[in-house]
PDB file of all heavy atoms in Angstrom:
ATOM      1  N   VAL A 282      -7.416 -14.144   1.998  1.00  0.00           N
ATOM      2  CA  VAL A 282      -8.273 -15.217   2.501  1.00  0.00           C
ATOM      3  C   VAL A 282      -9.708 -14.729   2.659  1.00  0.00           C
ATOM      4  O   VAL A 282     -10.667 -15.402   2.255  1.00  0.00           O
ATOM      5  CB  VAL A 282      -7.741 -15.743   3.860  1.00  0.00           C
ATOM      6  CG1 VAL A 282      -8.733 -16.710   4.498  1.00  0.00           C
ATOM      7  CG2 VAL A 282      -6.378 -16.398   3.679  1.00  0.00           C
ATOM      8  N   ALA A 285     -11.365 -14.508  -0.698  1.00  0.00           N
ATOM      9  CA  ALA A 285     -11.711 -15.832  -1.227  1.00  0.00           C
ATOM     10  C   ALA A 285     -12.933 -16.403  -0.526  1.00  0.00           C
ATOM     11  O   ALA A 285     -13.819 -16.993  -1.175  1.00  0.00           O
ATOM     12  CB  ALA A 285     -10.512 -16.774  -1.068  1.00  0.00           C
ATOM     13  N   GLU A 286     -12.995 -16.243   0.773  1.00  0.00           N
ATOM     14  CA  GLU A 286     -14.147 -16.756   1.517  1.00  0.00           C
ATOM     15  C   GLU A 286     -15.434 -16.063   1.082  1.00  0.00           C
ATOM     16  O   GLU A 286     -16.497 -16.688   1.011  1.00  0.00           O
ATOM     17  CB  GLU A 286     -13.906 -16.569   3.015  1.00  0.00           C
ATOM     18  CG  GLU A 286     -12.820 -17.503   3.561  1.00  0.00           C
ATOM     19  CD  GLU A 286     -12.483 -17.223   5.010  1.00  0.00           C
ATOM     20  OE1 GLU A 286     -12.841 -16.127   5.514  1.00  0.00           O
ATOM     21  OE2 GLU A 286     -11.851 -18.094   5.646  1.00  0.00           O
ATOM     22  N   GLY A 316      -2.971 -15.559  -0.577  1.00  0.00           N
ATOM     23  CA  GLY A 316      -4.030 -15.920   0.359  1.00  0.00           C
ATOM     24  C   GLY A 316      -5.309 -16.316  -0.355  1.00  0.00           C
ATOM     25  O   GLY A 316      -6.004 -17.255   0.051  1.00  0.00           O
ATOM     26  N   PHE A 317      -5.614 -15.602  -1.430  1.00  0.00           N
ATOM     27  CA  PHE A 317      -6.814 -15.880  -2.217  1.00  0.00           C
ATOM     28  C   PHE A 317      -6.736 -17.256  -2.866  1.00  0.00           C
ATOM     29  O   PHE A 317      -7.655 -18.084  -2.731  1.00  0.00           O
ATOM     30  CB  PHE A 317      -6.968 -14.790  -3.281  1.00  0.00           C
ATOM     31  CG  PHE A 317      -8.199 -14.907  -4.128  1.00  0.00           C
ATOM     32  CD1 PHE A 317      -9.432 -14.517  -3.645  1.00  0.00           C
ATOM     33  CD2 PHE A 317      -8.121 -15.388  -5.429  1.00  0.00           C
ATOM     34  CE1 PHE A 317     -10.580 -14.613  -4.427  1.00  0.00           C
ATOM     35  CE2 PHE A 317      -9.253 -15.480  -6.222  1.00  0.00           C
ATOM     36  CZ  PHE A 317     -10.486 -15.097  -5.717  1.00  0.00           C
ATOM     37  N   LEU A 318      -5.622 -17.527  -3.552  1.00  0.00           N
ATOM     38  CA  LEU A 318      -5.492 -18.786  -4.287  1.00  0.00           C
ATOM     39  C   LEU A 318      -5.391 -19.986  -3.346  1.00  0.00           C
ATOM     40  O   LEU A 318      -5.968 -21.052  -3.618  1.00  0.00           O
ATOM     41  CB  LEU A 318      -4.269 -18.729  -5.208  1.00  0.00           C
ATOM     42  CG  LEU A 318      -4.392 -17.763  -6.390  1.00  0.00           C
ATOM     43  CD1 LEU A 318      -3.065 -17.633  -7.113  1.00  0.00           C
ATOM     44  CD2 LEU A 318      -5.491 -18.208  -7.352  1.00  0.00           C
ATOM     45  N   GLU A 319      -4.665 -19.831  -2.255  1.00  0.00           N
ATOM     46  CA  GLU A 319      -4.536 -20.936  -1.297  1.00  0.00           C
ATOM     47  C   GLU A 319      -5.891 -21.309  -0.696  1.00  0.00           C
ATOM     48  O   GLU A 319      -6.181 -22.490  -0.481  1.00  0.00           O
ATOM     49  CB  GLU A 319      -3.558 -20.546  -0.192  1.00  0.00           C
ATOM     50  CG  GLU A 319      -2.112 -20.486  -0.648  1.00  0.00           C
ATOM     51  CD  GLU A 319      -1.201 -19.817   0.371  1.00  0.00           C
ATOM     52  OE1 GLU A 319      -1.648 -19.610   1.531  1.00  0.00           O
ATOM     53  OE2 GLU A 319      -0.056 -19.487   0.014  1.00  0.00           O
ATOM     54  N   THR A 320      -6.716 -20.323  -0.450  1.00  0.00           N
ATOM     55  CA  THR A 320      -8.037 -20.583   0.122  1.00  0.00           C
ATOM     56  C   THR A 320      -8.952 -21.251  -0.896  1.00  0.00           C
ATOM     57  O   THR A 320      -9.647 -22.235  -0.578  1.00  0.00           O
ATOM     58  CB  THR A 320      -8.668 -19.277   0.628  1.00  0.00           C
ATOM     59  OG1 THR A 320      -7.791 -18.674   1.580  1.00  0.00           O
ATOM     60  CG2 THR A 320     -10.020 -19.541   1.282  1.00  0.00           C
ATOM     61  N   LEU A 321      -8.964 -20.754  -2.130  1.00  0.00           N
ATOM     62  CA  LEU A 321      -9.822 -21.361  -3.153  1.00  0.00           C
ATOM     63  C   LEU A 321      -9.399 -22.787  -3.479  1.00  0.00           C
ATOM     64  O   LEU A 321     -10.234 -23.606  -3.874  1.00  0.00           O
ATOM     65  CB  LEU A 321      -9.805 -20.520  -4.427  1.00  0.00           C
ATOM     66  CG  LEU A 321     -10.504 -19.162  -4.380  1.00  0.00           C
ATOM     67  CD1 LEU A 321     -10.641 -18.590  -5.786  1.00  0.00           C
ATOM     68  CD2 LEU A 321     -11.876 -19.258  -3.724  1.00  0.00           C
ATOM     69  N   ALA A 322      -8.109 -23.087  -3.286  1.00  0.00           N
ATOM     70  CA  ALA A 322      -7.623 -24.439  -3.581  1.00  0.00           C
ATOM     71  C   ALA A 322      -8.271 -25.485  -2.679  1.00  0.00           C
ATOM     72  O   ALA A 322      -8.285 -26.677  -3.015  1.00  0.00           O
ATOM     73  CB  ALA A 322      -6.103 -24.488  -3.434  1.00  0.00           C
ATOM     74  N   ARG A 323      -8.822 -25.030  -1.562  1.00  0.00           N
ATOM     75  CA  ARG A 323      -9.486 -25.964  -0.639  1.00  0.00           C
ATOM     76  C   ARG A 323     -10.951 -26.188  -1.010  1.00  0.00           C
ATOM     77  O   ARG A 323     -11.668 -26.888  -0.299  1.00  0.00           O
ATOM     78  CB  ARG A 323      -9.379 -25.436   0.795  1.00  0.00           C
ATOM     79  CG  ARG A 323      -7.939 -25.362   1.298  1.00  0.00           C
ATOM     80  CD  ARG A 323      -7.888 -25.194   2.810  1.00  0.00           C
ATOM     81  NE  ARG A 323      -8.359 -23.896   3.234  1.00  0.00           N
ATOM     82  CZ  ARG A 323      -7.586 -22.822   3.378  1.00  0.00           C
ATOM     83  NH1 ARG A 323      -6.289 -22.903   3.104  1.00  0.00           N
ATOM     84  NH2 ARG A 323      -8.090 -21.683   3.785  1.00  0.00           N
ATOM     85  N   HIS A 324     -11.377 -25.578  -2.117  1.00  0.00           N
ATOM     86  CA  HIS A 324     -12.776 -25.704  -2.550  1.00  0.00           C
ATOM     87  C   HIS A 324     -12.805 -26.288  -3.961  1.00  0.00           C
ATOM     88  O   HIS A 324     -12.707 -25.558  -4.952  1.00  0.00           O
ATOM     89  CB  HIS A 324     -13.456 -24.331  -2.504  1.00  0.00           C
ATOM     90  CG  HIS A 324     -13.575 -23.783  -1.110  1.00  0.00           C
ATOM     91  ND1 HIS A 324     -14.635 -24.071  -0.280  1.00  0.00           N
ATOM     92  CD2 HIS A 324     -12.736 -22.981  -0.399  1.00  0.00           C
ATOM     93  CE1 HIS A 324     -14.455 -23.456   0.880  1.00  0.00           C
ATOM     94  NE2 HIS A 324     -13.314 -22.795   0.839  1.00  0.00           N
TER      95      HIS A 324
END
Side-chain angles (χ1 to χ4, degrees):
V282 171
E286 290 174 343
F317 183 78
L318 291 172
E319 289 168 12
T320 303
L321 290 192
R323 296 195 291 270
H324 295 273

